Amino acid sequence: MVTKTAVDTRERILEAAAALLVAEGRDGLSTRAVSAAAGVQPPALYRLFGDKDGLLDAVAAYGFDEYLTGKRALGSTGDAVEDLRRGWDLHVEFGLSRPEFYVLMYGDARPGRTSPAAREAEAMLRSIVERVAEAGRLRVSVERAARLVHATGMGVVLNLIATPEGERDAELSATARETVLSRILTGTEEPAGSDLPERAIALRAGLDGAAVLTDAERVLLAEWLDRIADA
């Protein structure tokens, strides 16, 4: 069982690490520097976080708690496409207001290693994209749409962070957002599900509720529908 003392120590370490990150960037997050700033011995840090990667994941989650709280609080407008736009804008706004945490979370991507905070953010995005699919508004699969939105949004934020504030293109985010949406969404003048890929995407979005199918049948049908959607 985790004691209150351990919880307090963990919080103190994270507060110290977050302050160092803002002041000195990622290079300032040595275990020695964090331990000294928090007033603890290095073994306490390793005991609570395992290793430096564990500490970095925890600091990213600590910094992103504000973002995730804001994302949860967005709620729904009742229009999944508008919710996708709002989610994009919140993502960009947070990245520019807390660049040190954003770069820590997304600027050092490695295969097979994703922080818990990043996974939660991606799950929230996928949930919105699934609602867009259920409304019959996607022209590509949920997986491809979510990856396009995530990759493009991340690239926009990292580009803006790397650009001096006075030189940033104020329209870059909105232009990129609408370009991606035009690629993944059906046209507003088109009836939902008016062609084969859109029908496949809408059907795929509701497939989990098809209790009449066995698990194996659902997996096979999902594969076929994804292939049709991305053809």
Side-chain angles (χ1 to χ4, degrees), residues 81 84 129-146 148 178-205 225-231:
V81 173
L84 190 56
V129 174
E130 286 174 345
R131 288 174 43 223
V132 175
E134 289 166 2
R137 291 295 311 279
L138 276 188
R139 66 168 74 248
V140 298
S141 68
V142 169
E143 182 68 23
R144 178 169 290 181
L148 278 170
E178 295 307 310
T179 299
V180 172
L181 293 184
S182 71
R183 175 65 184 87
I184 68 174
L185 298 177
T186 63
T188 54
E189 74 283 355
E190 301 172 16
S194 61
D195 65 12
L196 189 57
E198 291 156 28
R199 291 171 186 254
I201 293 161
L203 179 57
R204 174 67 174 85
L225 291 171
D226 283 342
R227 286 167 59 187
I228 294 171
D230 289 333

Side-chain angles (χ1 to χ4, degrees), residues 206-218:
L207 192 58
D208 288 343
V212 69
L213 300 176
T214 66
D215 289 343
E217 288 170 337
R218 274 195 295 273

Side-chain angles (χ1 to χ4, degrees), residues 22 37 60 72 107 113 139 153 197 204 206:
V22 172
R72 296 184 200 107
R113 183 175 176 272
R139 66 168 74 248
R204 174 67 174 85

Side-chain angles (χ1 to χ4, degrees), residues 14-44:
L14 288 176
E15 288 176 357
L20 281 172
L21 178 64
V22 172
E24 303 179 23
R26 178 171 175 159
D27 290 342
L29 293 182
S30 70
T31 53
R32 185 182 297 276
V34 172
S35 298
V40 302
Q41 295 299 314

Side-chain angles (χ1 to χ4, degrees), residues 20-121:
L20 281 172
L21 178 64
V22 172
E24 303 179 23
R26 178 171 175 159
D27 290 342
L29 293 182
S30 70
T31 53
R32 185 182 297 276
V34 172
S35 298
V40 302
Q41 295 299 314
L45 188 150
Y46 288 111
R47 186 166 57 251
L48 289 168
F49 300 100
D51 55 19
K52 186 173 180 179
D53 282 344
L55 172 64
L56 294 178
D57 284 345
V59 174
Y62 180 86
F64 261 69
D65 185 60
E66 175 187 339
Y67 166 67
L68 295 174
T69 298
K71 189 128 183 168
R72 296 184 200 107
L74 274 180
S76 173
T77 63
D79 181 338
V81 173
E82 183 59 26
D83 291 343
L84 190 56
R85 283 193 174 92
R86 293 166 73 222
W88 173 292
D89 292 343
L90 178 66
H91 184 93
V92 173
E93 179 184 347
F94 179 83
L96 296 182
S97 65
R98 303 294 292 275
E100 302 87 2
F101 291 99
Y102 193 92
V103 172
L104 180 63
M105 186 168 177
Y106 290 118
D108 186 26
R110 281 175 278 172
R113 183 175 176 272
T114 305
S115 74
R119 286 195 296 271
E120 182 173 356

Side-chain angles (χ1 to χ4, degrees), residues 149-199:
V149 172
H150 174 67
T152 309
M154 181 171 61
V156 165
V157 177
L158 291 174
N159 177 276
L160 289 173
I161 288 173
T163 303
E165 192 168 351
E167 300 175 17
R168 291 174 181 170
D169 179 354
E171 301 300 320
L172 180 65
S173 175
T175 300
R177 182 194 65 209
E178 295 307 310
T179 299
V180 172
L181 293 184
S182 71
R183 175 65 184 87
I184 68 174
L185 298 177
T186 63
T188 54
E189 74 283 355
E190 301 172 16
S194 61
D195 65 12
L196 189 57
E198 291 156 28
R199 291 171 186 254

